[in-house]
């Protein structure tokens, strides 16, 4: 799948310190556009504070997610319902909050190679992150191509990663060493762990492993590459080049029986998510389809994106989607029950993946992978930037782990393990 602009040049930004009497009390127009290259800049690289009443109004709170380590995918509801008491605070910065201080946001190439002679005086980053809210624990090297799936089955001490290099690698969570490699005839397009099961999306096939019993199954039916996998209403659903396929587990035969093919998308289905008894599918036809998980009928087609819908996720009563059209859209149900866009967040680059989780203080955050080799980390619902994660190439997969861990896999084949820092450790 061709991505627009896999190699990007980071724009050099000037300093963003606090008040400076030598600066004019005017916000830099070029800084707002993200392309100021003056160092030092005579104008402010921060927003001026609004009037007190405006700051107070911007401080509306946010309800916590239903799940301890992610966004809601509760299947018990009857779809996204309009909450008449909900106060829409998307994109509004809470009083006293704000974006992180911006520095020259480019990783030093010499530091990466281990031979930068400037040390602390180097104008470029000697870190893979900004924001001081998470830390890199380890890098797992071995894949030769794009990492397309990361899975951590329950009850297992192994991490599984799949790649377009036609392998699944098994990593020991204690040592970080590769404990095994499984080779396939085709590229791995997606992975999913559900309980002890691991599902691997291949070309014209889905493999299913039970890590506790050793059961190894092959699910036939897909046409072309399997790009996305999700479980909902006791079904396994796969997004393929030719639509969506559904299977149901049959305990008497210890196998997955095909149920139905969900048709309607006119191009490859590359992202799936389940929430509130609905299936949401994002496609290369630039649309999102909403399906009833009971009847498997299409309820609504969302066409606000103008390019490939790369990722979809559910959070409380909202659906979030990202696209190569450089936007993240927040959808909510109107009075008739149909979804409509309630907020659009604009990025400078196309977006590759979304992941919602909670930080070490149980605050909801959104991780957004862009095709300039960065992950933006935002507080929700304000979209105030917490920091950035830099990678060698674009990150295609972000997965949540236990105990404040999360995992990223990029187009170079590198898998990284990250951990959220507590507020005390990040400031010490």
């Amino acid at each position: 799948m061709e991505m627009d602009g896999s190699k990007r040049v980071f724009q050099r930004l000037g300093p963003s310190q606090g008040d400076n009497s030598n600066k004019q009390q005017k916000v830099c127009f070029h800084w707002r556009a993200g392309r100021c290259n003056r160092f030092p800049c005579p104008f402010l690289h921060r927003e001026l504070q609004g009037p007190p009443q405006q700051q107070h109004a911007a401080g509306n709170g946010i309800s916590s997610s239903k799940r301890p380590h992610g966004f809601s995918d509760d299947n018990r509801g009857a779809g996204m319902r309009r909450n008449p008491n909900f106060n829409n605070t998307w994109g509004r910065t809470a009083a006293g909050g704000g974006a992180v201080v911006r520095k020259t946001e480019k990783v030093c190439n010499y530091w990466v190679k281990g031979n930068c002679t400037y040390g602390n005086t180097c104008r470029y980053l000697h870190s893979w992150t900004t924001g001081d809210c998470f830390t890199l624990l380890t890098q797992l090297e071995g894949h030769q191509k794009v990492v397309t799936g990361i899975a951590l089955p329950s009850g297992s001490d192994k991490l599984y990663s799949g790649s377009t290099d036609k392998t699944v690698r098994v990593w020991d969570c204690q040592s970080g060493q590769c404990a095994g490699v499984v080779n396939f005839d085709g590229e791995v397009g997606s992975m999913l762990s559900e309980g002890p099961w691991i599902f691997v999306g291949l070309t014209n096939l889905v493999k299913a492993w039970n890590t506790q019993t050793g059961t190894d199954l092959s699910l036939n039916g897909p046409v072309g590459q399997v790009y996305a996998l999700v479980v909902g209403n006791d079904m396994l659903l796969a997004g393929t080049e030719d639509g969506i396929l559904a299977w149901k587990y049959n305990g008497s035969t210890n196998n997955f029986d095909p149920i139905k093919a969900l048709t309607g998308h006119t191009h490859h289905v590359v992202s799936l998510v389940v929430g509130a008894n609905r299936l949401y599918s994002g496609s290369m036809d630039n649309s999102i389809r909403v399906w009833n998980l009971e009847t498997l009928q299409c309820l609504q087609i969302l066409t606000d994106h103008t390019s490939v819908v790369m990722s979809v996720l559910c959070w409380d009563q909202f659906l979030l989607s990202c696209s190569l059209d450089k936007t993240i859209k927040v959808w909510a149900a109107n009075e008739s029950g149909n979804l409509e866009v309630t907020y659009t967040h604009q990025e400078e680059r196309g977006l590759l993946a979304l992941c919602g989780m909670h930080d070490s203080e149980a605050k909801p955050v959104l991780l957004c992978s862009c095709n300039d080799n960065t992950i933006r980390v935002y507080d929700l619902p304000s979209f105030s930037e917490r920091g950035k994660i830099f990678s060698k190439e674009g990150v295609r997969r972000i997965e949540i782990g236990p105990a404040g861990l999360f995992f990223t896999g990029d187009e170079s084949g590198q898998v990284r393990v990250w951990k959220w820092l507590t507020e005390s450790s990040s400031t010490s």
Side-chain angles (χ1 to χ4, degrees):
M1 188 162 52
E2 190 68 19
M3 298 299 158
D4 56 344
S6 60
K7 301 293 183 183
R8 302 293 182 185
V9 178
F10 295 105
Q11 296 294 329
R12 175 174 170 266
L13 302 179
S16 175
Q17 292 90 357
D19 292 332
N20 189 330
S21 58
N22 294 328
K23 290 182 179 288
Q24 301 184 41
Q25 294 301 304
K26 180 180 178 182
V27 179
C28 174
F29 172 81
H30 298 287
W31 171 78
R32 277 180 169 168
R35 57 173 182 265
C36 180
N37 58 9
R38 291 176 288 190
F39 188 86
C41 179
F43 300 103
L44 292 175
H45 280 199
R46 64 176 176 82
E47 297 292 347
L48 296 174
Q49 292 185 351
Q53 63 271 23
Q54 181 179 346
Q55 296 178 42
H56 176 73
N60 293 315
I62 176 175
S63 61
S64 62
S65 174
K66 298 182 183 70
R67 296 189 65 181
H69 293 294
F71 289 4
S72 171
D73 60 358
D74 188 1
N75 300 331
R76 295 170 295 178
M80 292 188 177
R81 300 180 183 275
R82 180 178 182 271
N83 183 352
N85 298 318
F86 177 72
N87 189 358
N88 190 349
T89 57
W90 291 101
R92 301 180 186 178
T93 303
V100 297
V101 175
R102 293 182 180 271
K103 299 180 180 179
T104 306
E105 293 186 342
K106 184 181 186 303
V107 177
C108 175
N109 291 329
Y110 295 100
W111 171 78
V112 171
K113 298 175 182 178
N115 56 10
C116 180
T117 59
Y118 287 95
N120 294 333
T121 63
C122 182
R123 70 174 62 185
Y124 300 107
L125 293 174
H126 283 196
S127 170
W128 288 107
T129 67
T130 65
D132 298 327
C133 49
F134 31 69
T135 185
L136 176 62
L137 295 184
T138 189
Q139 300 181 154
L140 307 179
E141 307 281 355
H143 284 300
Q144 302 301 311
K145 293 184 179 180
V146 182
V147 175
T148 53
I150 300 173
L152 189 67
S154 61
S156 173
D157 62 349
K158 300 293 190 296
L159 177 74
Y160 296 77
S161 60
S163 168
T164 58
D165 64 8
K166 304 181 181 181
T167 69
V168 166
R169 286 183 172 265
V170 186
W171 308 91
D172 186 281
C173 292
Q174 301 300 320
S175 66
Q177 299 299 310
C178 183
V181 180
V182 182
N183 294 283
F184 295 100
D185 294 331
E187 297 181 350
V188 176
S190 57
M191 289 184 69
L192 173 71
S193 61
E194 183 71 19
W197 287 95
I198 294 179
F199 302 98
V200 181
L202 301 166
T203 304
N204 304 322
L205 183 70
V206 174
K207 292 290 291 185
W209 300 329
N210 190 307
T211 57
Q212 294 179 357
T213 65
T215 302
D216 185 352
L217 304 175
S218 296
L219 312 185
N220 297 308
V223 175
Q225 183 67 59
V226 177
Y227 292 110
L229 293 163
V230 71
V231 168
N233 197 25
D234 296 326
M235 293 181 293
L236 173 68
L237 300 119
T240 75
E241 294 184 17
D242 195 40
I244 304 168
L245 289 181
W247 295 267
K248 198 140 192 168
Y249 182 70
N250 188 331
S252 60
T253 62
N254 193 30
N255 207 341
F256 289 83
D257 297 332
I259 300 176
K260 186 176 181 179
L262 286 64
T263 60
H265 282 295
T266 59
H267 216 315
H268 304 174
V269 177
V270 296
S271 55
L272 296 172
V273 71
V274 166
N277 208 33
R278 299 287 186 265
L279 169 69
Y280 305 91
S281 56
S283 169
M284 292 179 68
D285 65 13
N286 306 347
S287 76
I288 301 169
R289 285 182 173 251
V290 184
W291 310 83
N292 185 307
L293 273 180
E294 296 291 340
T295 64
L296 298 181
Q297 298 298 311
C298 182
L299 302 175
Q300 188 182 359
I301 305 172
L302 311 177
T303 58
D304 291 49
H305 282 294
T306 59
S307 188
V308 181
V309 180
M310 294 294 293
S311 185
V312 285
L313 65 86
C314 291
W315 177 76
D316 281 356
Q317 70 265 45
F318 301 99
L319 174 74
L320 282 74
S321 60
C322 75
S323 167
L324 294 181
D325 66 10
K326 306 178 185 180
T327 67
I328 300 170
K329 292 187 182 293
V330 181
W331 308 79
N334 57 25
E335 293 182 356
S336 65
N338 288 327
L339 292 181
E340 60 184 22
V341 175
T342 186
Y343 176 71
T344 298
H345 175 79
Q346 188 77 38
E347 289 286 353
E348 294 181 1
R349 307 294 184 188
L351 291 121
L352 304 177
L354 295 178
C355 183
M357 63 183 70
H358 291 84
D359 66 9
S360 59
E361 308 298 325
K363 298 174 183 176
V365 291
L366 182 68
L367 277 66
C368 316
S369 171
C370 300
N371 61 7
D372 62 356
N373 305 346
T374 68
I375 297 174
R376 268 77 163 179
V377 183
Y378 294 110
D379 281 325
L380 290 181
S382 65
F383 272 90
S384 296
E385 188 178 307
R386 290 280 295 273
K388 287 183 181 178
I389 295 175
F390 300 90
S391 60
K392 291 182 178 180
E393 295 190 31
V395 171
R396 293 291 193 91
R397 285 293 180 268
I398 310 171
E399 294 292 336
I400 307 169
L405 298 178
F406 63 96
F407 310 92
T408 60
D410 68 21
E411 294 171 352
S412 73
Q414 190 173 78
V415 178
R416 288 174 168 179
V417 184
W418 304 86
K419 183 176 179 63
W420 281 97
L421 297 174
T422 60
E423 187 173 350
S424 58
S425 62
S426 62
T427 56
S428 59

